[in-house]
Amino acid sequence: MIRKYTFGNPMETDAVVHKIEKETGEVPFMGVGADQLAFTYKMDDNTRIYGLGENVRGINKRGWRYISNCSDDPNHREEKNSLYAAHNFIIIEGKERFGLFFDYPGMLTFDLGYTSSNDVSIIPAEDGLDLYIIEGESIKDIVKQFRRMIGRSYIAPKWAFGYGQSRWSYMDEDEIREVVKEHRDAGIPLDSVYMDIDYMERYKDFTINENAFPEFPKFVEELKEQNIHLVPIIDAGVKIEEGYDVYEEGVEKGYFCKEEDGTDFVAAVWPGKVHFPDMLNPDARKWFGQKYKLLLDQGIEGFWNDMNEPAIFYSEKHLDEVFEQLEDFKGKNIDLDLYYKFNSLVGGISNNPDDYKRFYHKFHGETVRHDKVHNLFGYNMTRAAGEAFEEMEPDKRILMFSRSSYVGMHRYGGIWTGDNLSWWSHLLLNIRMMPSLNMVGILYTGADIGGFGADTTEDLMMRWLEFGIFTPLFRNHSAMGTRCQEVYRFENIDAFKNIIGIRYGLLPYIYSEYMKAALKDEMYFRPLAFDYPEDDFAARVEDQLLIGDGLMTAPVYEQNAKGRYVYLPEKLKMVKMKSLTERSVELLDQGHHYVDIDLDETVIFIRPNHVIPMSSGGQSVAEVDFGSLELLGYVEDKAVYELYDDDGYGKDYENSDHYTTITVSQDGTVTAKGIIERRYTLSI
Amino acid sequence: MIRKYTFGNPMETDAVVHKIEKETGEVPFMGVGADQLAFTYKMDDNTRIYGLGENVRGINKRGWRYISNCSDDPNHREEKNSLYAAHNFIIIEGKERFGLFFDYPGMLTFDLGYTSSNDVSIIPAEDGLDLYIIEGESIKDIVKQFRRMIGRSYIAPKWAFGYGQSRWSYMDEDEIREVVKEHRDAGIPLDSVYMDIDYMERYKDFTINENAFPEFPKFVEELKEQNIHLVPIIDAGVKIEEGYDVYEEGVEKGYFCKEEDGTDFVAAVWPGKVHFPDMLNPDARKWFGQKYKLLLDQGIEGFWNDMNEPAIFYSEKHLDEVFEQLEDFKGKNIDLDLYYKFNSLVGGISNNPDDYKRFYHKFHGETVRHDKVHNLFGYNMTRAAGEAFEEMEPDKRILMFSRSSYVGMHRYGGIWTGDNLSWWSHLLLNIRMMPSLNMVGILYTGADIGGFGADTTEDLMMRWLEFGIFTPLFRNHSAMGTRCQEVYRFENIDAFKNIIGIRYGLLPYIYSEYMKAALKDEMYFRPLAFDYPEDDFAARVEDQLLIGDGLMTAPVYEQNAKGRYVYLPEKLKMVKMKSLTERSVELLDQGHHYVDIDLDETVIFIRPNHVIPMSSGGQSVAEVDFGSLELLGYVEDKAVYELYDDDGYGKDYENSDHYTTITVSQDGTVTAKGIIERRYTLSI
């Protein structure tokens, strides 16, 4: 049951698709502040809090203060309060169980036992929000009700479930050709290569650097023939440059964000000075979305939207002010005070909060200062693309994921988890963040495997891939200036080939589970506590996840570790894999285990009476034979698997032909009900 | 057996006290580079590497690149290569076992399987080093030989084993009085309050801000009457200010580091512009050391030396250059290139590597550019103090610990582990760093409990204290601008009182074990692998430590955790303590266990046939009755404990009267051999 309470005059964010009438009575569960709008709750010692999507720290979010304030911050450190997203949905599970969604586009603080251990306090910067309170028979039920309310999650094309290689940046055709060749030569599967900002002509959106890519459509085609998709990045800022059509059109049509005086707001990002398209204005959004056609027409079938918090290296006005103030330092004897003044002056240039008060949107017909709707910008940039794709390619899925997001954006694209670091603790963060993203409908997601910033190591890359093979977005990405981390650059290339190969082997399961999660408003990744609510210990487990219907993963995330402790909420079948075919199997009892896991070993745990449909792999998704499945399973009585499969491009999701019901009986008989004929082999 | 090999013409660092003749044959174990001086070793998959003292990452250092280059870096992040120290001692344990000590004062790179998984490569910036290769029958034996060679570890006064409260900064007498009163009123034990930089008159070493502390000696006395020691900080840089005697004397005597042209080098730190005393010049060192008398004479009995990497906010010349270059920006249209140029210009002002090439030392009679002996600076600042204390207070211990260090400094003081953060992962780092510091003789050490930078939480503070009660330096310290973290500011003050109370209860054991480790060149903190070399699993344990003879600790270092996995290398007695007296006891078998540990619970594990001598606690060390001991033990056959105790101030460490041999027989009879009479009660 969902109840909606309105405070002040909220702005319509379009987060909610299935509208609900607002209640007039008292808000249940929560105290509501008398003077300042604030929502409070008293926890008992065992209360846990789930949610908040993209954030630092644990699966249980209790014990910290989080602030929804989309931020371009590449240091995902423990003490950070904000990352790139605003995912204002939490579930409180303790003496009471309920979900809370705050539909509010401004800054929102979640003090979850930070100031005082048992006190929850949620405070918006200003009045004007819709609060949804969701009760349900279980955590999963609450998530499902919420997800249904906010609409179906984005579905990526099937090829985007393959392995992607990225780097900031592959500078030209030949570099990309080499990356592809090295993978193909070594037999490492690969489906996509990502193009970071340098593919553009001086960072101008929807342009191609013609020196580096002289015949781009031909190059796109050349790679497609090898089953490789090129995925270019699109930035939020449009370069100010005479003769650049996107800029000129935007100015002419008045589609850019304005200063208070009505002139176009000038910030700077990669291209230098830019205007921001007013993504909150439907006309501007439509116009910007149509621009993706320039690349679609050249054969591109996927994009990632970046810098859309929006990041601001500097605003023109503020930088002018800074340089004016620097004049004061001229000829001075620089003492410590002056030096500190200098430091705070220059340290405050990027992503300055005041800059977010310098520009305005046209939003629902009104002029709204940016900071009041800040968290909607990235969402609406991706919505611009998503709505345009729907119009331009009504029958074809286009890959789309974003850096910044708000609840609602999950309908138009996924996210990657931004500029993480080559830290072991960020592998753990990746694990912990996946279920909370699924809670807000973001299913197509994953981290930069191996870490974006800082230098990676071979073992970190290997361990990270062993988890990464389960994330729908499965991409190796790294920053300029860091150690190159394409897996063929390391020593044990065979191990990498085998681990990535396991992903391709698991694809029938991963794709099927993803699609069912999307179509049924469910979670692909779940903490143990969600599936085993009666198991007190399951609630403590912060480093194992359930993936789809039948699998549990317990990744190794510590350097030099040769294994780890694993908690089994029930008897499970452990399958250790050095490759798709080199496997060992062991039944483990419910309870605690220490499991040896070699550096090059991937371990999965299969739930009783479940089978995992697997393929024999392939060098790309297109090569994977979904028609011939091995059923890797743990069948005590009978296992029934509902397989979803389709052509991977189309949108006729409701077509029942996509489903096959596979039944494995105790004696090993396999029967399949569905229109598609497949061959099955059984490994139980 | 220790063998010494000399390459080029090393500078004498005085790291080694017991000199060894150099060998002339080939270096065993290691390959030596032909062109560039480099030392290489090929590991097998199971080779582990221990050592490197103060550094990031695990107990097993394998898999990363560390660079000995003393750095003022408050971000102890996983990818950092250098912290504040240069501790060039490692032990390789695998198919072969040997220790390596590189006595080299410049930059030294340890590539321990980073570039290539099985390759060790150790490379000095230039020629000129002594390499010591140490073989032994065990890891502990190698450590002991090394420790004997580098001389006895610093011994702190007994009061410095009490709890210390610090903050950057308590600004005046009244703030300090309040801190003391709050502790005393709540019954939280306390022995010292630390005075950070603001106690000085405008950050001038050896001065007191007389507005804040109008009658300093009287105030020192007032606190001593409450058994509280004030511990002021001393910085490396001496303020340039006419009329300031330390400055004027230093200039007059030529004791400051020079530029190439012979003028005094000007850097800036807290006081603004400073000169650095030439700590490497024995005359200057002696002179600087004598200055501590100014505070000793006012009743001070302990110090901490800071900023002695040395940290440089800016050098006068470089800052002038930067401001000159900023002139170029004047009136320009700031485009992105110019903005980046600007950013790299201003970002490179602090701790700029080039600044370390701008000044010179008088070292062994020669003029040596700083960067070539960079890692000796902090060491020799603390040596300045230590040598002076020896002269001024030959019979009394003075507390001394430093931020920067090099092997050899352990004879003059301890270290705290620098500007950590309020991160759960820094609690784990604290645990992991302790044994490697002990390996290089640094026994008096601990981290800023609760975390220095960033905001702490009540639970982090509590869990950190549960480990911190075992670190000889036991101090809560935090930075300006962060959440205040004196424990009385939280909700569950009783729990904090009890945890800190346990420290005071354990003092007879902690002090005795510390003293024996110092006097016998042994380790107070040890990884399990050091004591259980035959146990393959013990080698994997990176989050439990042996403390002294009879204890193991397994701290909780994850937020919201209600327990943890613990590995027992043998049957141990687990003692859970909510307070000194509120305890529960359980015998646990060898092997893996999941142990519930409440947030306010401290757990210790006692080894078979060991007893832990405990006191009944006290509000300060002076109050602790070492004459009446409870023997908390696990006696199967017979336990023999060698207790060390003394007056806590004197230096007659060799006096056999300090030892008592306590024997507990199976039937519970306690017999004690020693000159001091004590009362014993038995809890087994």
Side-chain angles (χ1 to χ4, degrees):
Chain A
M1 184 186 57
I2 308 184
R3 281 175 286 183
K4 174 180 173 182
Y5 300 87
T6 296
F7 299 86
N9 295 302
M11 283 178 271
E12 177 55 60
T13 67
D14 294 337
V16 169
V17 169
H18 300 287
K19 304 291 181 193
I20 286 169
E21 282 303 305
K22 70 180 178 193
E23 306 272 335
T24 51
E26 272 209 2
V27 175
F29 303 115
M30 305 294 287
V32 181
D35 304 326
Q36 191 196 0
L37 189 57
F39 303 88
T40 57
Y41 183 74
K42 182 65 89 174
M43 297 183 280
D44 61 20
D45 285 349
N46 290 314
T47 301
R48 289 167 269 134
I49 302 176
Y50 297 103
L52 291 183
E54 187 179 45
N55 261 302
V56 296
R57 301 210 172 203
I59 290 175
N60 179 359
K61 299 314 253 196
R62 184 172 179 161
W64 192 238
R65 183 184 45 197
Y66 303 87
I67 302 174
S68 288
N69 181 37
C70 299
S71 301
D72 167 28
D73 186 337
N75 290 297
H76 309 170
R77 303 168 18 149
E78 279 181 44
E79 92 279 15
K80 289 301 166 88
N81 306 108
S82 308
L83 296 178
Y84 311 89
H87 296 149
N88 304 333
F89 174 53
I90 59 173
I91 293 176
I92 293 180
E93 164 81 36
K95 59 186 195 293
E96 295 159 317
R97 178 197 304 124
F98 57 101
L100 294 165
F101 171 53
F102 296 85
D103 193 4
Y104 177 69
M107 198 183 292
L108 182 63
T109 298
F110 291 83
D111 184 330
L112 308 181
Y114 165 75
T115 300
S116 174
S117 301
N118 289 322
D119 291 332
V120 169
S121 174
I122 300 160
I123 305 173
E126 296 179 309
D127 266 20
L129 62 76
D130 286 320
L131 166 62
Y132 296 83
I133 294 195
I134 311 171
E135 286 178 87
E137 63 187 26
S138 67
I139 296 175
K140 289 206 286 190
D141 177 42
I142 292 173
V143 172
K144 193 165 177 149
Q145 292 181 57
F146 173 63
R147 291 269 304 281
R148 195 164 289 157
M149 179 174 78
I150 60 173
R152 179 182 288 173
S153 292
Y154 165 78
I155 292 173
K158 200 189 257 186
W159 61 263
F161 289 80
Y163 181 55
Q165 181 57 52
S166 187
R167 173 85 176 169
W168 168 31
S169 298
Y170 300 122
M171 302 303 284
D172 57 27
E173 285 187 351
D174 284 342
E175 264 200 66
I176 291 177
R177 279 194 189 99
E178 191 196 328
V179 168
V180 173
K181 184 175 185 311
E182 291 280 356
H183 281 84
R184 289 282 179 259
D185 286 355
I188 305 160
L190 187 70
D191 266 275
S192 52
V193 177
Y194 285 78
M195 303 174 77
D196 211 322
I197 52 174
D198 296 283
Y199 81 87
M200 293 183 256
E201 197 215 325
R202 281 169 295 134
Y203 314 123
K204 290 187 298 201
D205 277 341
F206 312 112
T207 68
I208 303 287
N209 176 343
E210 291 188 357
N211 292 320
F213 300 94
E215 293 182 285
F216 190 61
K218 221 172 123 184
F219 182 60
V220 173
E221 192 50 39
E222 173 192 327
L223 291 186
K224 263 196 213 168
E225 278 162 15
Q226 300 175 67
N227 291 324
I228 300 291
H229 285 77
L230 286 174
V231 185
I233 199 168
I234 304 291
D235 282 353
V238 170
K239 187 175 188 350
I240 297 173
E241 186 181 280
E242 296 303 318
Y244 168 38
D245 54 351
V246 182
Y247 159 73
E248 291 188 339
E249 267 179 47
V251 170
E252 191 197 314
K253 296 186 169 163
Y255 285 161
F256 293 127
C257 292
K258 307 281 185 230
E259 302 239 4
E260 201 172 3
D261 66 4
T263 58
D264 291 333
F265 173 68
V266 181
V269 218
W270 298 115
K273 290 179 188 169
V274 298
H275 293 319
F276 290 129
D278 185 356
M279 306 295 183
L280 274 60
N281 170 350
D283 296 332
R285 189 161 66 231
K286 182 160 188 177
W287 164 77
F288 190 79
Q290 293 296 331
K291 294 295 165 201
Y292 288 80
K293 191 162 190 307
L294 294 165
L295 288 158
L296 291 177
D297 286 347
Q298 299 186 63
I300 291 299
E301 298 178 310
F303 303 88
W304 41 316
N305 281 346
D306 196 13
M307 305 292 280
N308 51 1
E309 293 72 28
I312 297 179
F313 291 170
Y314 58 86
S315 75
E316 187 179 47
K317 288 212 170 152
H318 182 223
L319 194 65
D320 285 349
E321 288 161 17
V322 169
F323 273 91
E324 232 166 78
Q325 288 174 59
L326 283 179
E327 282 297 295
D328 295 349
F329 292 80
K330 203 185 146 186
K332 289 255 171 79
N333 183 359
I334 307 296
D335 63 7
L336 201 68
D337 281 351
L338 219 50
Y339 171 66
Y340 271 101
K341 203 177 139 196
F342 172 78
N343 262 354
S344 88
L345 198 63
V346 304
I349 294 176
S350 289
N351 298 322
N352 190 303
D354 286 338
D355 280 336
Y356 293 106
K357 296 176 183 164
R358 287 178 194 260
F359 63 101
Y360 293 80
H361 298 275
K362 211 175 265 173
F363 188 45
H364 300 305
E366 284 175 41
T367 299
V368 180
R369 201 174 71 188
H370 175 79
D371 61 307
K372 295 173 189 295
V373 288
H374 172 69
N375 291 334
L376 301 182
F377 192 88
Y379 158 27
N380 279 285
M381 179 190 178
T382 295
R383 182 181 178 183
E387 289 175 340
F389 298 156
E390 202 54 55
E391 207 181 303
M392 298 183 286
E393 296 280 4
D395 299 319
K396 184 175 160 189
R397 301 177 218 168
I398 303 293
L399 172 63
M400 166 54 64
F401 58 91
S402 172
R403 193 166 72 184
S404 186
S405 60
Y406 182 85
V407 170
M409 201 206 77
H410 69 288
R411 299 191 300 267
Y412 305 102
I415 68 164
W416 89 104
T417 61
D419 298 342
N420 64 1
L421 289 154
S422 296
W423 289 0
W424 289 85
S425 58
H426 276 181
L427 161 53
L428 180 57
L429 184 61
N430 182 189
I431 297 165
R432 290 175 171 172
M433 209 189 276
M434 292 296 101
S436 55
L437 286 173
N438 281 193
M439 285 174 73
V440 292
I442 294 172
L443 297 181
Y444 191 77
T445 186
D448 286 347
I449 294 168
F452 177 71
D455 291 326
T456 200
T457 58
E458 180 164 358
D459 55 353
L460 176 58
M461 180 51 81
M462 207 172 281
R463 291 299 194 191
W464 208 321
L465 280 166
E466 288 161 14
F467 173 68
I469 58 170
F470 298 106
T471 61
L473 168 57
F474 178 43
R475 184 177 75 143
N476 174 343
H477 183 41
S478 60
M480 197 173 276
T482 65
R483 184 182 195 174
C484 288
Q485 63 188 39
E486 295 80 14
V487 297
Y488 57 78
R489 295 180 188 270
F490 296 106
E491 289 171 275
N492 196 351
I493 298 175
D494 271 352
F496 287 111
K497 179 183 79 178
N498 289 334
I499 296 164
I500 296 169
I502 292 168
R503 160 69 164 226
Y504 283 74
L506 286 169
L507 260 185
Y509 179 74
I510 290 171
Y511 185 69
S512 171
E513 291 300 318
Y514 180 93
M515 294 301 294
K516 289 187 292 180
L519 298 173
K520 296 176 182 177
D521 301 318
E522 290 178 351
M523 293 171 69
Y524 170 86
F525 283 116
R526 298 178 308 285
L528 269 52
F530 286 24
D531 279 42
Y532 300 93
E534 305 301 320
D535 181 336
D536 281 345
F537 196 87
R540 302 190 186 187
V541 178
E542 288 262 337
D543 58 0
Q544 303 173 201
L545 295 177
L546 297 161
I547 299 174
D549 196 39
L551 269 194
M552 183 182 82
T553 179
V556 174
Y557 52 85
E558 299 214 348
Q559 188 163 34
N560 295 317
K562 295 177 183 300
R564 56 161 288 173
Y565 291 102
V566 181
Y567 175 70
L568 271 58
E570 59 182 321
K571 193 175 185 179
L572 299 176
K573 180 182 269 187
M574 176 172 72
V575 184
K576 290 185 174 183
M577 297 185 273
K578 293 262 183 179
S579 72
L580 250 187
T581 49
E582 200 183 335
R583 306 192 298 236
S584 68
V585 168
E586 192 181 344
L587 273 183
L588 293 183
D589 282 334
Q590 189 278 339
H592 302 290
H593 298 266
Y594 184 90
V595 176
D596 287 324
I597 307 175
D598 288 344
L599 180 58
D600 57 354
E601 204 162 47
T602 300
V603 179
I604 58 173
F605 298 85
I606 303 178
R607 297 169 84 171
N609 293 322
H610 282 80
V611 291
I612 309 298
M614 294 178 69
S615 81
S616 57
Q619 289 297 293
S620 65
V621 172
E623 278 187 15
V624 171
D625 179 6
F626 283 68
S628 181
L629 299 179
E630 178 185 358
L631 303 172
L632 179 63
Y634 172 19
V635 180
E636 287 198 320
D637 311 308
K638 187 174 82 164
V640 179
Y641 186 76
E642 188 183 40
L643 179 79
Y644 178 98
D645 189 31
D646 59 19
D647 67 3
Y649 275 95
K651 295 182 179 174
D652 60 333
Y653 308 122
E654 313 301 339
N655 186 339
S656 63
D657 291 356
H658 298 153
Y659 291 92
T660 306
T661 303
I662 303 165
T663 304
V664 180
S665 65
Q666 203 173 16
D667 65 4
T669 317
V670 180
T671 51
K673 269 171 80 173
I675 202 143
I676 310 290
E677 267 200 56
R678 292 187 177 79
R679 291 176 304 287
Y680 301 96
T681 56
L682 195 61
S683 305
I684 55 173
Chain B
M1 184 185 58
I2 308 185
R3 282 175 286 184
K4 173 182 173 180
Y5 300 87
T6 296
F7 299 85
N9 296 302
M11 283 179 270
E12 176 56 58
T13 66
D14 294 338
V16 169
V17 169
H18 300 288
K19 304 291 183 192
I20 285 168
E21 282 303 304
K22 68 179 180 195
E23 306 272 336
T24 50
E26 273 208 1
V27 175
F29 303 115
M30 305 294 288
V32 181
D35 304 327
Q36 191 195 0
L37 189 57
F39 303 89
T40 56
Y41 182 73
K42 182 65 89 177
M43 298 182 280
D44 61 19
D45 284 348
N46 290 313
T47 301
R48 287 166 271 134
I49 302 177
Y50 296 104
L52 291 184
E54 187 180 45
N55 261 302
V56 296
R57 302 211 170 206
I59 290 175
N60 178 2
K61 299 313 254 197
R62 184 171 179 162
W64 191 235
R65 183 183 47 193
Y66 303 89
I67 301 174
S68 288
N69 181 37
C70 299
S71 301
D72 168 28
D73 186 337
N75 289 298
H76 308 169
R77 303 169 13 149
E78 278 181 44
E79 91 279 14
K80 288 302 165 89
N81 307 107
S82 308
L83 296 179
Y84 311 89
H87 296 150
N88 304 332
F89 175 54
I90 59 173
I91 293 176
I92 293 179
E93 165 81 33
K95 59 188 196 291
E96 296 159 318
R97 178 196 305 121
F98 57 100
L100 295 165
F101 171 52
F102 296 85
D103 192 5
Y104 177 70
M107 198 183 291
L108 181 62
T109 299
F110 291 84
D111 184 330
L112 309 180
Y114 165 74
T115 300
S116 172
S117 301
N118 290 319
D119 291 332
V120 169
S121 174
I122 300 159
I123 305 173
E126 294 181 311
D127 266 19
L129 64 76
D130 286 321
L131 166 61
Y132 296 83
I133 295 197
I134 311 171
E135 286 177 87
E137 61 188 29
S138 66
I139 297 174
K140 288 205 287 190
D141 177 41
I142 292 173
V143 172
K144 192 164 179 152
Q145 291 181 59
F146 173 64
R147 291 271 304 280
R148 195 165 288 155
M149 180 173 81
I150 60 173
R152 178 181 289 170
S153 292
Y154 166 78
I155 292 173
K158 200 189 261 184
W159 61 263
F161 289 80
Y163 181 56
Q165 182 57 52
S166 188
R167 175 83 178 170
W168 170 31
S169 299
Y170 300 123
M171 302 304 283
D172 57 26
E173 286 187 351
D174 283 341
E175 264 200 64
I176 292 176
R177 279 194 189 101
E178 191 196 328
V179 168
V180 173
K181 184 176 185 308
E182 291 280 358
H183 281 84
R184 290 282 179 259
D185 285 354
I188 306 159
L190 186 69
D191 264 276
S192 51
V193 177
Y194 286 77
M195 301 173 77
D196 211 321
I197 52 174
D198 297 283
Y199 80 88
M200 293 184 257
E201 196 215 325
R202 280 169 296 135
Y203 314 121
K204 289 187 299 199
D205 277 341
F206 311 115
T207 67
I208 302 287
N209 175 344
E210 292 188 357
N211 292 321
F213 300 94
E215 294 183 285
F216 190 61
K218 224 173 117 183
F219 182 60
V220 173
E221 192 51 38
E222 173 192 327
L223 291 186
K224 264 196 212 167
E225 279 162 14
Q226 300 174 66
N227 291 324
I228 300 291
H229 285 77
L230 287 175
V231 186
I233 199 167
I234 304 292
D235 281 353
V238 170
K239 186 175 189 348
I240 297 173
E241 185 180 281
E242 296 303 318
Y244 168 38
D245 54 350
V246 183
Y247 159 73
E248 290 188 339
E249 269 180 48
V251 170
E252 191 196 314
K253 296 186 169 162
Y255 284 160
F256 292 127
C257 292
K258 307 282 186 227
E259 301 239 5
E260 199 171 6
D261 66 4
T263 57
D264 292 333
F265 172 69
V266 181
V269 216
W270 298 115
K273 289 179 187 169
V274 298
H275 293 318
F276 291 130
D278 184 357
M279 305 295 183
L280 275 59
N281 170 351
D283 296 333
R285 190 161 66 230
K286 184 162 185 174
W287 165 76
F288 190 80
Q290 293 296 330
K291 295 295 166 202
Y292 287 82
K293 194 165 187 307
L294 294 165
L295 288 159
L296 291 177
D297 286 347
Q298 300 185 64
I300 292 299
E301 298 178 310
F303 303 87
W304 42 316
N305 281 346
D306 196 14
M307 304 293 280
N308 52 0
E309 294 71 29
I312 297 179
F313 291 170
Y314 59 85
S315 75
E316 187 179 47
K317 287 210 171 154
H318 182 223
L319 194 65
D320 286 348
E321 289 162 17
V322 168
F323 273 90
E324 235 166 77
Q325 289 174 57
L326 284 180
E327 282 298 294
D328 295 350
F329 292 78
K330 204 187 145 184
K332 288 254 171 79
N333 184 357
I334 306 297
D335 64 6
L336 201 69
D337 282 352
L338 217 53
Y339 172 67
Y340 270 102
K341 204 176 139 196
F342 171 78
N343 262 354
S344 88
L345 197 64
V346 304
I349 294 176
S350 288
N351 300 321
N352 189 302
D354 286 338
D355 280 336
Y356 294 106
K357 296 177 182 164
R358 287 177 194 259
F359 64 101
Y360 293 79
H361 298 275
K362 212 176 264 170
F363 187 45
H364 301 305
E366 284 175 41
T367 300
V368 179
R369 202 175 69 188
H370 175 79
D371 61 307
K372 295 173 190 294
V373 290
H374 172 70
N375 292 335
L376 302 182
F377 192 88
Y379 159 26
N380 279 285
M381 178 189 179
T382 295
R383 183 180 177 184
E387 288 175 340
F389 297 156
E390 203 52 57
E391 208 181 302
M392 299 183 286
E393 295 281 3
D395 300 320
K396 184 175 158 188
R397 300 177 218 167
I398 304 294
L399 172 62
M400 166 53 65
F401 58 91
S402 173
R403 193 168 70 184
S404 186
S405 61
Y406 180 86
V407 171
M409 201 206 76
H410 69 287
R411 301 191 298 271
Y412 305 102
I415 66 164
W416 89 103
T417 61
D419 298 342
N420 63 1
L421 289 155
S422 296
W423 290 359
W424 290 85
S425 59
H426 277 180
L427 162 52
L428 179 58
L429 184 62
N430 183 190
I431 297 164
R432 290 175 171 172
M433 209 189 275
M434 292 295 100
S436 56
L437 286 172
N438 281 194
M439 286 174 71
V440 293
I442 294 171
L443 297 181
Y444 190 78
T445 187
D448 286 348
I449 294 168
F452 177 71
D455 291 327
T456 200
T457 58
E458 179 164 358
D459 56 352
L460 176 58
M461 179 52 80
M462 207 172 282
R463 290 298 193 192
W464 207 322
L465 281 166
E466 288 161 13
F467 173 69
I469 58 170
F470 299 105
T471 61
L473 168 58
F474 178 43
R475 184 177 75 143
N476 173 342
H477 184 39
S478 59
M480 197 173 277
T482 64
R483 183 182 196 173
C484 288
Q485 63 187 39
E486 296 79 12
V487 297
Y488 56 78
R489 295 181 187 269
F490 296 106
E491 290 171 274
N492 195 350
I493 299 175
D494 271 352
F496 288 111
K497 179 184 80 178
N498 289 335
I499 295 163
I500 297 168
I502 293 168
R503 160 69 163 225
Y504 283 74
L506 286 168
L507 259 185
Y509 178 74
I510 289 171
Y511 185 70
S512 171
E513 292 301 317
Y514 180 94
M515 293 302 293
K516 290 187 292 181
L519 298 172
K520 295 176 183 176
D521 300 318
E522 289 176 350
M523 294 171 68
Y524 170 86
F525 282 115
R526 299 179 307 287
L528 269 52
F530 286 25
D531 279 42
Y532 300 93
E534 305 301 320
D535 181 336
D536 282 346
F537 196 87
R540 302 189 186 187
V541 179
E542 288 261 337
D543 59 0
Q544 303 174 202
L545 295 177
L546 298 160
I547 300 173
D549 197 37
L551 268 195
M552 184 181 82
T553 179
V556 174
Y557 51 85
E558 299 212 350
Q559 188 162 34
N560 295 318
K562 295 177 182 300
R564 54 161 289 173
Y565 290 103
V566 181
Y567 175 70
L568 269 58
E570 60 183 320
K571 193 174 185 178
L572 299 176
K573 180 183 271 187
M574 177 171 72
V575 184
K576 291 184 174 182
M577 297 186 274
K578 293 262 183 176
S579 73
L580 249 186
T581 49
E582 199 184 335
R583 303 193 300 238
S584 68
V585 168
E586 192 182 345
L587 273 183
L588 293 184
D589 282 333
Q590 189 278 340
H592 303 289
H593 298 267
Y594 183 92
V595 176
D596 287 325
I597 307 174
D598 288 345
L599 180 57
D600 58 352
E601 203 163 47
T602 301
V603 179
I604 59 173
F605 298 86
I606 304 178
R607 296 168 83 169
N609 293 321
H610 282 79
V611 292
I612 309 299
M614 293 178 68
S615 80
S616 58
Q619 288 298 294
S620 66
V621 173
E623 277 188 16
V624 172
D625 180 6
F626 283 68
S628 182
L629 299 179
E630 178 186 359
L631 303 172
L632 179 63
Y634 172 19
V635 180
E636 287 199 320
D637 311 308
K638 188 174 80 165
V640 180
Y641 186 76
E642 189 183 41
L643 179 79
Y644 179 99
D645 188 32
D646 60 18
D647 67 3
Y649 276 96
K651 294 182 179 173
D652 60 333
Y653 307 122
E654 313 300 339
N655 187 339
S656 63
D657 291 356
H658 297 153
Y659 291 92
T660 305
T661 303
I662 304 164
T663 304
V664 180
S665 65
Q666 203 173 15
D667 66 3
T669 317
V670 180
T671 52
K673 270 171 76 174
I675 201 141
I676 310 290
E677 269 200 52
R678 291 186 177 81
R679 291 176 306 285
Y680 302 96
T681 53
L682 194 60
S683 306
I684 55 173

